[in-house]
Amino acid sequence: MTCFSSTDESAHYGFSVCMLLDNYREQLAWEDNGVVELGTGDATAIADVVTSLPGLRVHSYDISAPSLEMARVNIAERGVADRYTVELGDFFDQADAAGGPQISTVISNPPYIPAPDRDILMPELWGGVRGNDLVLQLLKAGYENVITAVASYSDPEATVATAADLGYRVVNFLAMGLDFGRYSSEPKVRDHIRRLCADGHGWAGEDGYMVAVVLFTQNPAIPGDRADQLLRSLQIDV
Ligand SMILES: C[S@@+](CC[C@H](N)C(=O)[O-])C[C@H]1O[C@@H](n2cnc3c(N)ncnc32)[C@H](O)[C@@H]1O
């Protein structure tokens, strides 16, 4: 097993989470309740967010032991171990027991690598055949607010449609173009992405894709729905 490493993607995730949490501070009430995270990785992205937002507490899960080893070092170096706690295990098995229903917000840069099977460079990053299995599972997990990365090549139209069926609206998002990294450049993955996009299940360019970090909410007190804008921002052609 290896540790997830992708500087641009993680930096975009961290910056976007920070901005969305800060902009919707009162409505998300994270100063009262904290947030939970699916997928710690090496923790650098969210450790910096915890440093920037003094009232924030995050409890995070990862299934990768080497990632958590690095995460603990990075969190300790930044001096935020009291507010950024990490645990080895499957988010979906353990989050309820740890947080219960009073935690209303989950954050994640989830695994979204699409591939025919789990036999890829880092199997923990497999997002299912269309790449959006974990995002869909997260949307179905019962959190009122879901801040998650949505990749242009991982069937975003199906993700947004499922979110709407579950009563979520797209409040806001931050989108960025990314070059294919080491995980999406793996030939088996890249070929699969091409096929998915050709079949109308996403968008990707020759060397890159778009990713948006999106705030989905079911909370009627947070107005607006930018679902159409989100999908337009993810469209990138070869
Ligand atoms: C794309 S990485 C993101 C890591 C980090 N948040 C970042 O942005 O740098 C996704 C992480 O989710 C972890 N993961 C995969 N499935 C998981 C699950 N069911 N529960 C918890 N973590 C999981 C992987 O091991 C991986 O470290």
Side-chain angles (χ1 to χ4, degrees), residues 3-12 42 44 109 112 125 178-179 181-183 209:
C3 175
F4 171 77
S5 157
S6 176
T7 314
D8 289 355
E9 182 190 329
S10 300
H12 174 244
D42 72 5
T44 50
N109 178 18
Y112 60 66
L125 297 182
L178 291 174
D179 295 335
R182 56 194 293 249
Y183 309 109
Y209 65 108

Side-chain angles (χ1 to χ4, degrees), residues 12-231:
H12 174 244
Y13 167 61
F15 181 85
S16 304
V17 166
C18 192
M19 197 150 175
L20 291 168
L21 288 179
D22 201 24
N23 278 9
Y24 298 93
R25 182 183 289 257
E26 277 81 38
Q27 298 96 322
L28 299 178
W30 48 260
E31 281 166 307
D32 300 332
N33 305 320
V35 307
V36 286
E37 181 184 39
L38 185 168
T40 321
D42 72 5
T44 50
I46 297 304
D48 289 342
V49 177
V50 171
T51 306
S52 302
L53 300 174
L56 180 64
R57 281 171 290 111
V58 180
H59 190 72
S60 183
Y61 300 86
D62 205 296
I63 52 171
S64 158
S67 294
L68 278 195
E69 239 173 75
M70 287 196 62
R72 290 201 167 94
V73 172
N74 288 327
I75 290 168
E77 271 176 12
R78 287 160 176 79
V80 290
D82 55 333
R83 292 189 293 116
Y84 191 11
T85 47
V86 298
E87 196 172 326
L88 182 64
D90 187 320
F91 175 87
F92 297 105
D93 290 345
Q94 304 191 47
D96 283 350
Q102 62 275 53
I103 303 288
S104 57
T105 302
V106 59
I107 61 173
S108 187
N109 178 18
Y112 60 66
I113 297 291
D117 54 60
R118 204 179 146 80
D119 184 16
I120 56 174
L121 211 51
M122 184 172 172
E124 293 89 340
L125 297 182
W126 188 47
V129 174
R130 292 195 181 161
N132 59 355
D133 280 6
L134 277 281
V135 180
L136 296 179
Q137 204 177 342
L138 201 54
L139 290 166
K140 290 172 186 165
Y143 293 90
E144 186 173 55
N145 311 297
V146 178
I147 297 179
T148 182
V150 173
S152 63
Y153 58 55
S154 303
D155 208 357
E157 286 182 303
T159 300
V160 170
T162 303
D165 288 346
L166 293 164
Y168 286 101
R169 286 168 293 103
V170 172
V171 177
N172 220 329
F173 63 89
L174 287 89
M176 185 174 171
L178 291 174
D179 295 335
F180 283 131
R182 56 194 293 249
Y183 309 109
S184 30
S185 297
E186 188 181 351
K188 167 180 176 172
V189 171
R190 211 165 163 147
D191 291 347
H192 188 72
I193 288 173
R194 281 211 185 92
R195 277 195 299 276
L196 280 181
C197 295
D199 291 346
H201 298 300
W203 301 281
E206 198 52 53
D207 300 308
Y209 65 108
M210 297 295 296
V211 66
V213 175
V214 184
L215 167 57
F216 292 99
T217 193
Q218 296 171 325
N219 182 349
I222 312 179
D225 192 354
R226 294 186 162 98
D228 290 342
Q229 284 173 40
L230 168 65
L231 289 174

